Amino acid sequence: MKKKRMLALAGLSLLATATLVACGTSTSNSTNTFSYIYVTDPDSLDYLVSNRASTSDITGNFIDGLLENDKYGNLIPSLAENWTVSKDGLTYTYTLRDGIKWYTAEGEEYANVTAQDFVAGLKHAVDGKSESTYLVEDSIKGLKDYINGKTTDFSTVGVKAVDDKTVEYTLNQPESYWNSKLTASIMMPVNEEFLQSKGEDFGKVTPDGILYNGPYILSSYTNKSSFEFIKNQNYWDKDNVKIEKVKLAFSDGSDPEALAKNFADGSYTSARLYPNTSSFTSVKEKFADNIYYSPQSSSTFYYYFNLNRQAIEHTSKTTDAQKDATKQAILNKDFRQAINFAFNRTNYNAQTAGEEGATYGLRNTLVPPTFVQVGNQTFGEVVESKLTANFGEEWSGVDLSDAQDGLYNVDKAKAEFAKAKTTLEAQGVQFPIHLDIPVPQSDKKLVQEAQSLKQSVESALGTENVVIDIQQMSDSEQENITYFADAGSQKDYDLHISGWGPDYQDPSTYLDIWNPESGGSLKNLGLEAGQNTDITNAVGLNEYQTLLEEANAETSDVTSRYEKYAAAQAWLTDSAIILPVSSTGATPMISKVSPFTKAYSVVGVKGDANIFKFMELQSEPVKTSDYNKARETWLKEQKESQEKAQEEIANHVK
């Protein structure tokens, strides 16, 4: 998320670039060491169980699966040399390459990679209660019954090692996007002998916590300090690994101006720029011909309400009446819509992107509006039509396309709030409503963004009605009550921001995360999957579940399937349970990464911004004009390559 994955709050400030990078001591002429920063330490390297970007951003460089992505986003063979699909679309058979090996952190050969490693990987993921089981539990035959305990025999699950070089998956129903799931971490292999030998220490955040079959090996790690990767010299595809070493240094976001400074002196390979910092004028003068804006990505950041807040340690509320008032208000759709329409996202995004780029990264829906095409319309256009047809007048004229603030409307905010206030006062609720937002105090930009949200909401609705209480705390304290809180009952906030990146090429990869029965992000709402039915029914998530089920049941007509998912997105937009803000990317950059050389994909972990295979560096900063030309060429070549890839899909059907 991706990927795909839950994205940390800090990622919005520092990883919203085209490239994740690291900090080091490379010289300005070095083209074999990549250096910059990272912002969130992983709590595990168990890529099969963790679904956090803080893990997969790292392990995606260490572990290969059956397929990967080329620079145009096409799926290409990785550990699988070839594959076939049965005519009924239910059986996928993959043939592994010869000579694929597992290596230790010391670079020593450990074992061959075999088909059984993919069986063992999925079993470990499920037995370890992976955060990613939602991705495949309805896809692979027999898997859901094993997860639910209806069977204890994993051999009944539709993954099979036919022989050492052949792995076979049997699906419950055809999925045209199945192969795109193979670039998700949960579908990666693991060596069973090593897994058993490590026991609970498998995935420990140390170089020897895992084995390696990918392009890089973790050579060193120090918590809240640094990562270093070195090229796996025995890697099967080492000719496509151009960068010998990757260095990442921890940043808490307290000094964003240091990024450009360290790029200028040769310490960093790339730098995300912050136009509102005092040094930006001089940076712009020095790099006038080198600043470019990275493309918007498929990852979406959004605020979300805690519908069932139980932990109330970090708050400005002083009475039980205030706490109850907030809870009642959050459960009121008109109140949530009022906050949604009162949120000036342009001003918010300007805190980090500057006035010039303030709208470039804005997003108004969870599913990017151009993620899939629905006949001759974009997904976003279909969502707009369904909002207008099926929901209130407040959605008339709303534009959901990217890179513009389609939701901010003070008049609509006041109208929705007036309806909410009438209802809530009849329930005995007293105003103002206080909303707690936790923010790491060391990250100046995140604090500024929260202050911008506070200003726009309070200005539109009045502090006699709504007060945003920004709760500043240490980085670790903020992470523990948000990103790393394992249960909904531990989420200590009223409103918080996080993000999601897609796992596979289908709208369900975004929308299913809020399914009240199985959603992977329900905990962020203070809920648990399959529980809290009184609250899920109160806000209508049961209706949303029905829409998802109807869409998921459509497996033969892709256009009809996407239309049904557009209806689910329209419901989610109208509910205002989440408030989309922006994508990653669309940020000003200076870099020595040769444009469009790295792998690309909107899904999975193998075309992620943080993957270094294929990436090439140059000795001098990229020129703006060269970047723009490269982008035009890439877009043309991408369209041609994807059309060719679609034609070749038929060759795999047997």
Side-chain angles (χ1 to χ4, degrees):
M1 79 305 313
K2 273 162 184 107
K3 257 177 192 134
K4 95 189 168 190
R5 300 157 293 151
M6 295 176 282
L7 305 175
L9 172 60
L12 182 60
S13 178
L14 291 176
L15 297 188
T17 67
T19 322
L20 169 112
V21 282
C23 172
T25 56
S26 61
T27 67
S28 60
N29 293 320
S30 174
T31 57
N32 61 12
T33 299
F34 189 93
S35 306
Y36 199 43
I37 53 96
Y38 78 98
V39 298
T40 305
D41 283 281
D43 59 347
S44 172
L45 294 184
D46 190 340
Y47 49 92
L48 294 159
V49 169
S50 174
N51 194 36
R52 293 183 169 97
S54 53
T55 294
S56 59
D57 285 346
I58 303 298
T59 59
N61 292 288
F62 304 153
I63 307 296
D64 275 359
L66 293 168
L67 304 178
E68 61 184 339
N69 297 101
D70 66 13
K71 70 176 183 177
Y72 301 114
N74 300 312
L75 287 166
I76 59 175
S78 183
L79 299 189
E81 188 174 44
N82 204 346
W83 68 92
T84 61
V85 186
S86 62
K87 290 184 179 180
D88 61 7
L90 297 179
T91 304
Y92 285 71
T93 305
Y94 303 87
T95 303
L96 302 185
R97 297 178 184 276
D98 290 328
I100 307 298
K101 307 285 186 180
W102 289 107
Y103 296 93
T104 67
E106 290 74 34
E108 297 177 351
E109 181 181 325
Y110 186 90
N112 291 325
V113 175
T114 69
Q116 182 60 31
D117 295 342
F118 290 89
V119 179
L122 185 59
K123 186 176 188 301
H124 170 67
V126 174
D127 291 347
K129 300 188 184 303
S130 172
E131 297 167 336
S132 301
T133 52
Y134 68 89
L135 177 63
V136 292
E137 65 181 5
D138 291 319
S139 301
I140 299 175
K141 186 176 180 180
L143 183 56
K144 197 160 192 175
D145 283 345
Y146 182 82
I147 291 172
N148 294 336
K150 291 183 179 179
T151 177
T152 58
D153 183 0
F154 194 75
S155 68
T156 62
V157 176
V159 56
K160 177 182 177 182
V162 178
D163 53 43
D164 281 351
K165 287 188 59 180
T166 310
V167 59
E168 179 182 278
Y169 293 93
T170 303
L171 308 185
N172 287 315
Q173 63 280 318
E175 291 186 1
S176 59
Y177 48 89
W178 166 255
N179 270 343
S180 67
K181 291 186 176 184
L182 299 184
T183 60
S185 293
I186 192 174
M187 299 302 294
M188 300 299 168
V190 69
N191 179 274
E192 198 164 17
E193 179 184 345
F194 180 81
L195 177 68
Q196 292 174 353
S197 71
K198 298 297 286 188
E200 293 183 358
D201 285 338
F202 178 78
K204 187 176 180 180
V205 191
T206 59
D208 64 354
I210 59 172
L211 291 178
Y212 304 80
N213 68 10
Y216 291 95
I217 290 173
L218 177 62
S219 58
S220 67
Y221 165 69
T222 303
N223 185 58
K224 293 195 181 302
S225 176
S226 65
F227 275 99
E228 289 195 13
F229 311 164
I230 57 173
K231 180 177 177 178
N232 180 356
Q233 298 298 335
N234 297 306
Y235 181 52
W236 68 272
D237 195 23
K238 65 180 180 180
D239 289 346
N240 280 316
V241 184
K242 312 296 184 181
I243 298 171
E244 297 284 335
K245 183 178 292 186
V246 176
K247 297 182 178 181
L248 300 87
F250 178 75
S251 171
D252 63 5
S254 61
D255 188 11
E257 294 180 89
L259 304 181
K261 177 182 177 182
N262 288 334
F263 177 84
D265 68 19
S267 296
Y268 290 177
T269 306
S270 295
R272 157 77 156 91
L273 302 181
Y274 293 87
N276 293 338
T277 55
S278 59
S279 63
F280 183 70
T281 300
S282 61
V283 172
K284 194 171 183 179
E285 290 176 356
K286 182 177 179 64
F287 296 104
D289 296 329
N290 306 106
I291 298 173
Y292 63 88
Y293 280 82
S294 59
Q296 278 191 276
S297 81
S298 58
S299 295
T300 301
F301 278 93
Y302 46 83
Y303 276 93
Y304 44 84
F305 288 97
N306 189 333
L307 302 175
N308 185 36
R309 186 176 180 183
Q310 298 178 56
I312 312 182
E313 299 296 326
H314 300 83
T315 185
S316 296
K317 303 179 185 70
T318 58
T319 67
D320 289 341
Q322 287 180 333
K323 296 174 185 177
D324 183 68
T326 298
K327 183 172 184 178
Q328 294 304 314
I330 287 175
L331 293 178
N332 183 287
K333 184 177 78 168
D334 294 326
F335 175 83
R336 299 192 304 270
Q337 286 186 346
I339 302 297
N340 197 18
F341 288 128
F343 184 5
N344 187 328
R345 292 160 174 82
T346 302
N347 286 352
Y348 179 95
N349 210 41
Q351 304 307 308
T352 54
E355 291 186 7
E356 179 183 349
T359 61
Y360 293 176
L362 296 186
R363 177 160 293 155
N364 300 288
T365 50
L366 177 60
V367 182
T370 58
F371 185 66
V372 294
Q373 194 75 9
V374 188
N376 60 0
Q377 290 184 295
T378 67
F379 185 80
E381 289 170 339
V382 178
V383 174
E384 287 177 20
S385 65
K386 291 185 179 296
L387 274 171
T388 303
N390 300 328
F391 298 97
E393 178 63 26
E394 60 266 29
W395 298 110
S396 176
V398 170
D399 183 356
L400 298 179
S401 57
D402 273 345
Q404 55 84 43
D405 200 342
L407 296 171
Y408 176 58
N409 188 306
V410 173
D411 289 339
K412 289 183 178 181
K414 290 180 176 179
E416 294 307 308
F417 186 81
K419 291 190 289 185
K421 192 169 187 177
T422 297
T423 300
L424 292 169
E425 284 185 331
Q427 295 172 354
V429 170
Q430 296 182 350
F431 290 80
I433 303 300
H434 286 262
L435 297 174
D436 295 315
I437 299 180
V439 180
Q441 60 192 12
S442 64
D443 195 319
K444 297 177 182 178
K445 295 305 174 185
L446 291 176
V447 173
Q448 289 173 351
E449 288 170 339
Q451 290 171 339
S452 176
L453 170 61
K454 174 181 174 69
Q455 191 280 329
S456 66
V457 170
E458 292 181 355
S459 175
L461 301 179
T463 53
E464 72 277 13
N465 291 314
V466 179
V467 175
I468 303 293
D469 293 316
I470 300 173
Q471 306 295 331
Q472 297 192 42
M473 60 195 72
S474 69
D475 290 6
S476 58
E477 195 172 13
Q478 186 272 148
E479 288 177 342
N480 287 337
I481 66 170
T482 58
Y483 190 59
F484 288 125
D486 291 327
S489 60
Q490 298 170 354
K491 305 287 186 177
D492 191 4
Y493 51 79
D494 295 314
L495 194 60
H496 183 54
I497 188 169
S498 185
W500 187 262
D503 294 297
Y504 52 93
Q505 196 68 47
D506 188 72
S508 60
T509 189
Y510 292 93
L511 299 171
D512 280 350
I513 68 174
W514 305 118
N515 186 320
E517 286 298 318
S518 59
S521 290
L522 281 173
K523 292 176 182 178
N524 291 336
L525 305 180
L527 307 176
E528 299 294 340
Q531 303 177 31
N532 312 114
T533 54
D534 55 335
I535 294 174
T536 58
N537 291 345
V539 298
L541 278 169
N542 55 326
E543 301 171 26
Y544 180 67
Q545 181 182 348
T546 298
L547 292 171
L548 293 178
E549 290 172 348
E550 291 175 353
N552 189 53
E554 179 56 76
T555 61
S556 59
D557 187 333
V558 172
T559 298
S560 177
R561 179 183 178 87
Y562 291 167
E563 286 178 348
K564 293 177 185 295
Y565 276 122
Q569 171 66 81
W571 184 96
L572 189 63
T573 298
D574 179 68
S575 77
I577 290 172
I578 69 167
L579 315 179
V581 181
S582 63
S583 67
T584 50
T587 51
M589 297 282 299
I590 45 179
S591 179
K592 294 177 184 176
V593 177
S594 297
F596 303 99
T597 56
K598 66 176 295 298
Y600 165 80
S601 179
V602 297
V603 302
V605 303
K606 284 300 182 178
D608 192 274
N610 312 312
I611 302 302
F612 298 98
K613 181 179 177 180
F614 299 117
M615 184 186 290
E616 298 180 24
L617 306 183
Q618 56 190 58
S619 58
E620 297 298 324
V622 176
K623 290 185 177 181
T624 309
S625 57
D626 290 342
Y627 178 86
N628 291 335
K629 288 178 182 177
R631 185 172 187 271
E632 290 178 6
T633 299
W634 179 83
L635 287 171
K636 180 181 178 181
E637 292 176 348
Q638 183 199 38
K639 182 178 180 181
E640 294 171 351
S641 72
Q642 290 183 343
E643 288 175 351
K644 183 178 179 181
Q646 287 299 314
E647 293 174 358
E648 292 179 349
I649 288 176
N651 296 332
H652 294 284
V653 178
K654 302 295 181 182

